Every structure is written in structure tokens, then in C-alpha cells.
Amino acid sequence: MRDVAVLAGVSTATVSHVINQTRRTTRETRERVEVAIRQLGFVPNAAGRALAMRKNGVGATHAFKLGNGNGRAVFEAEETAPAQAQTLTAAVGASRMILRLVRAAQPIPRVEIARRLGVNRSTVTEVVKPLLAEGILREEQEVLPTGVARTSGRPPVALSFGDLKEFFVGVSLGVRHTTVGLATLAGERFGEEEFETPPEPQEALARMRASVKRLCAKVPGRELKVIGVSVPGPTDATRGRMVYAPHLGWRGVDVAQALSVKPCGVEGGAPVPVVVENDATAAALYEARLRLGNGSEAPNANFALVRSGTGIGVGLVLGGEVYRGTGGGEGLAGEFGHMTIVAGGKQCRCGNRGCWEMYASASAASSLYAGDRVQLGGQTPPRFVEIVARAEGGELRARRTLERLGEYLGIGIANVITGLGVSRVIVSGRLVYGWKFIKGPLQEAVGQSMAGRISGWSVEPGEPTGAGLGGAVEVAADEFLARVVGR
């Protein structure tokens, strides 16, 4: 329960009240606690609940499984006291977060894992024991950077992923280009193909499937575990179908079924799992891992990621977990790019008018640059990267274009902050190249809104590139880690 309280930023008493409904709490507090409970996989035991309700409790047995596909390791513990039960349940839920942290920052000492997660070292030790036994993780002496001397004592033992033969495929379906690549849990990238996205979905899926098979054939002796696909539109609750991609004109495309293949070099067996994710959500996973790796991000961070390219998408991370929506709306969370910010404005491909992405995406910069004129002396309006280059060169029109785009971006981000209640926003994608011109008007627009009255709000730049294929790979890797710990 202590770990739930740390993640949620509340007291253990508040966690107890939320679980047992013994005192009224605000909706925001209740949601934070519920997210932390899901994050840690915390299951209140009978003894703990009875103690909270001032009753006598009884012991209970709790088991969790860990494995790498070749074997399973099962741990059971008798919950003879509330403190032991809380430590165990925290360890169960923390296992996934520990694996994420190791993947992002490997090699990393156990003491550092405990410090960054805010849990006891014993929790880390109990979680990693079966992972070490199964060969998923390995221990090695921490190596200091060249020129850095150790002050005293023996070098700490650091954790990293073992020499696993498993690998993943990431498929980034873009409006203009599609990229397919291979990667391992250790972060090694090998093999990549790119092609122009065909206009028809069946042709595009056939090319993706062929690319996956070609790349897999180049790595004999390794086993494909998961295929992750990032798509420019919302997905269904099962993360198998792309519901709608406005810029491609595709509806109801069963991506998972089309890309279903057998493991490379394995006769028979079940097809490889395929997970389809909205590209903004995938980019949020990618951004979170990068920041975990360099130590600038807490594992239980909360932020909204605004990804701007051809369109605009929003990925939401709560307590270190991406949020996709609930029930029938799962997979639809984050479709802010098509909220109206200009009534009766420009026609959008989605059928609406005045959508945010028509004014604040990287592709919208060309029309903002051209203004109301149909053409610029017979020339095609420059694309975003060229507009940035012109602004860098001092062209006033280019600078004004980026400033206007920043203002529109700020209007939408203010809506995101107030609509979601998340005060921290990261902007990713091509817009980051023009951040020096966009930042000021953006912050001014947010500051003038209701969101600007909230203390502590922030908007910061993320990665301009890499989140396409990188996000798809993260989708696959995260699914694999979830399966390792049995969710």
C-alpha cells in the first residue's frame, strides 16, 4: 500500500479510504489511486481490508508468474501479516515497471532501481530473482565512463537483459511512407526497410507482411515474439483493427489479421501476436523510454504527448502507463487533432471544419505561409522544414508563419491541459525543428487560457524524429514485457 501511495502522491490512509470507501475523496484523488493500483497490480488482501475496517483478518495465498516463453517460475507466499502482503503485491506489480526501467537504462544497479521507483530494495530483489534464474536478466559489474574514477568500495552489480534470442518487429504506417524494422530487448536495431505507402490498404498490408518475412529470414536462430504497428488513426479496444485513418481514407482495417505470421524458423505453433497502436500513443511510449534511460523522467510520470506531423495526435501517460480509454471508447483517447478550434474554418479530411490539425500541424505550415492567396507567384508553397530554414535565414514571412502556428498549437494544448487535467505536455515530431520560433507564441496562448491559471503547467519539446518506427518497436517490446510478468 505504501508503494501505491508513493505512485499516487497521497498518504497510505487515503489509499485505504479509496479501497474501502470509508471516507469521501475527490474524483481526481480517487482516479490517481486507481491508476496506481492498476500500475502496481495491487490486490488488497483480506487481512489488510479487515484491519482497515477494524475487523480481524485471515491469511491468504498469492501467486504470480514470470517467464520468458521457455519456462515459468512461480512464487507463492503466505500472507501472514498485512506488511508482508503489501510487500508481495507491490512486488508483483512493480515487476513490469522494473523491466521497463532496466530496458531503458541498462545496465542499472538494483539500488538505483529502488531509488527511482521509490520502493524497497527487497522488493527489487524478489522481483528479479526469477528473471535472473530464467536468463531474462543478467548481472554484471557496473562500468564507469572513461576518465571517471570510483571513490571507494566494490563496483555495484548492475542488471541488464540477457543474451536472449527473442526479437521484435516494428511497423510504422505513415501517410506518405511506411517503415519496418527489427529490434531486441537490449535496444539493438538490425534490419530496416522503407517504402511509399500504397493508397489501397490491402496492397499496403501485403507489402508490410512481405517486408516482415524478408527481414525475419535474415536473422536465423532468433525467434520473433511480437509485432508492433503504429498507425495514423484510432484503433479498436482489442488493438487489432485501425478504426479510421482520415489522411489515408481507410476504415475498419484489420491490421493484426493481415500481418499474422508464424515465428521465424519455428514449425507449427501459434501465430506471432500483433499489437496495433495509434501513432501518438506509440510515440508517448517511445518518449517515456528515452527519458527513463537518461534519468530525466520518473517511472510514474504523468504527461500528454502532442505529436505533430501530417496531422496531430495526443498520447496520454498516467502513472507511467499509456491511457487508451475505457470500455467501448478504449483506443479512442487522444483524438484531439480533430477538435474544432476555428468555427466554420478550413475543411478537414475527417469531414469537420476548423480542426486543430488544419492550423497547428507541420503540414498546415504551408497553407499558413501561403495565406489566402491561391499561389505564390506560380510557385508551390514550401514545406515545413524549408519554412524553418527560411526563418533561420531571417525571412520575416517564414517567422510569422511559425509564430502563427505556435499560437494555434498553444490554443489546442490549453484545451488538452484543461480537458485532461494533465499539466505537463511534451511536443514531438517535425514541429520541434522550429521550436525557437514556436515556443513564445505557444506559451503566450496557453498563458491566456484557463490552463494558464493552473500553477505548474509546462510545455517542452520532445524528439523531432524517431518516434515512428521507435514507437512501433516500443509497442511490441512493452507487450512482450507484459507477457513476461503475466500482466
Side-chain angles (χ1 to χ4, degrees):
M1 189 178 294
R2 174 183 174 274
D3 293 319
V4 172
V6 170
L7 281 177
V10 298
S11 67
T12 54
T14 299
V15 175
S16 177
H17 289 311
V18 170
I19 292 174
N20 298 292
Q21 299 181 0
T22 51
R23 180 180 297 176
R24 185 178 180 85
T25 56
T26 66
R27 179 179 177 182
E28 181 184 0
T29 298
R30 186 172 65 254
E31 288 178 349
R32 289 210 314 272
V33 172
E34 289 171 351
V35 166
I37 288 172
R38 289 195 300 270
Q39 172 78 29
L40 292 172
F42 180 79
V43 181
N45 67 314
R49 291 179 64 87
L51 183 64
M53 300 298 291
R54 297 184 182 277
K55 297 178 182 179
N56 292 323
V58 295
T61 299
H62 182 82
F64 66 99
K65 299 180 178 180
L66 299 168
N68 66 351
N70 299 320
R72 308 291 290 181
V74 180
F75 288 79
E76 295 187 357
E78 191 71 22
E79 295 181 349
T80 57
Q84 293 175 346
Q86 291 162 9
T87 299
L88 178 60
T89 51
V92 175
S95 57
R96 185 175 177 183
M97 191 179 292
I98 287 173
L99 287 175
R100 284 176 175 165
L101 185 53
V102 171
R103 171 170 157 75
Q106 61 187 315
I108 179 171
R110 296 186 194 189
V111 64
E112 178 64 10
I113 294 175
R115 185 190 68 80
R116 293 184 61 179
L117 292 180
V119 299
N120 296 326
R121 289 184 62 182
S122 60
T123 298
V124 177
T125 298
E126 288 302 313
V127 170
V128 302
K129 276 182 181 178
L131 299 174
L132 289 168
E134 290 292 329
I136 297 174
L137 294 180
R138 65 182 177 188
E139 292 180 309
E140 58 188 40
Q141 297 294 325
E142 184 184 27
V143 179
L144 294 177
T146 303
V148 177
R150 190 173 304 279
T151 55
S152 62
R154 293 185 301 173
V157 174
L159 295 170
S160 63
F161 278 95
D163 296 323
L164 303 177
K165 294 184 178 180
E166 290 90 348
F167 72 96
F168 316 101
V169 167
V171 180
S172 173
L173 171 63
V175 175
R176 296 189 179 91
H177 297 91
T178 295
T179 309
V180 182
L182 311 184
T184 66
L185 273 178
E188 178 188 5
R189 292 278 191 93
F190 52 97
E192 187 174 316
E193 291 186 4
E194 182 176 337
F195 55 86
E196 291 187 3
T197 303
E200 295 299 323
Q202 296 310 315
E203 181 184 354
L205 292 170
R207 293 197 63 177
M208 291 179 205
R209 184 184 175 92
S211 183
V212 169
K213 288 187 171 182
R214 278 195 303 272
L215 289 172
C216 288
K218 296 179 180 179
V219 287
R222 289 180 177 266
E223 184 180 357
L224 174 59
K225 301 301 291 187
V226 184
I227 298 174
V229 188
S230 66
V231 297
T235 64
D236 66 356
T238 65
R239 294 195 292 165
R241 293 172 63 87
M242 178 169 62
V243 178
Y244 181 41
H247 291 277
L248 291 172
W250 299 358
R251 292 179 181 271
V253 180
D254 196 337
V255 179
Q257 183 178 23
L259 296 184
S260 178
V261 298
K262 294 293 180 67
C264 307
V266 177
E267 296 295 334
V272 174
V274 180
V275 183
V276 185
E277 190 66 88
N278 173 266
D279 57 4
T281 300
L285 274 172
Y286 176 75
E287 194 76 38
R289 185 181 75 84
L290 290 181
R291 290 165 182 257
L292 267 180
N294 62 27
S296 64
E297 193 72 76
N300 59 337
N302 299 318
F303 67 85
L305 181 132
V306 176
R307 177 170 165 78
S308 177
T310 303
I312 290 181
V314 175
L316 182 60
V317 174
L318 296 176
E321 294 279 355
V322 294
Y323 179 76
R324 299 178 176 90
T326 59
E330 186 172 352
L332 298 177
E335 286 301 313
F336 282 89
H338 296 284
M339 66 177 170
T340 302
I341 65 166
V342 177
K346 299 176 182 178
Q347 181 73 50
C348 180
R349 289 178 180 267
C350 74
N352 188 27
R353 285 187 173 275
C355 289
W356 187 24
E357 69 176 36
M358 296 302 296
Y359 297 86
S361 64
S363 61
S366 293
S367 60
L368 290 175
Y369 185 92
D372 296 329
R373 293 179 293 179
V374 177
Q375 57 184 7
L376 296 169
Q379 298 179 355
T380 302
R383 298 181 67 174
F384 182 77
V385 290
E386 186 179 347
I387 293 173
V388 173
R390 293 185 181 189
E392 293 280 5
E395 184 185 298
L396 185 60
R397 185 178 189 85
R399 291 189 174 190
R400 291 290 181 266
T401 296
L402 296 177
E403 289 168 359
R404 287 186 63 201
L405 188 146
E407 182 180 2
Y408 285 125
L409 187 64
I411 292 171
I413 285 176
N415 291 341
V416 170
I417 292 174
T418 54
L420 297 177
V422 177
S423 60
R424 181 180 172 218
V425 176
I426 299 172
V427 178
S428 129
R430 283 176 285 162
L431 283 189
V432 177
Y433 287 125
W435 189 251
K436 63 184 290 186
F437 304 105
I438 292 171
K439 178 182 177 181
L442 182 159
Q443 292 186 329
E444 184 176 352
V446 175
Q448 293 175 350
S449 70
M450 179 63 72
R453 308 299 190 268
I454 302 173
S455 62
W457 67 268
S458 66
V459 182
E460 59 196 78
E463 294 297 312
T465 60
L469 181 58
V473 168
E474 286 308 308
V475 169
D478 204 60
E479 176 67 15
F480 176 71
L481 296 182
R483 290 168 181 262
V484 164
V485 299
R487 295 190 184 278

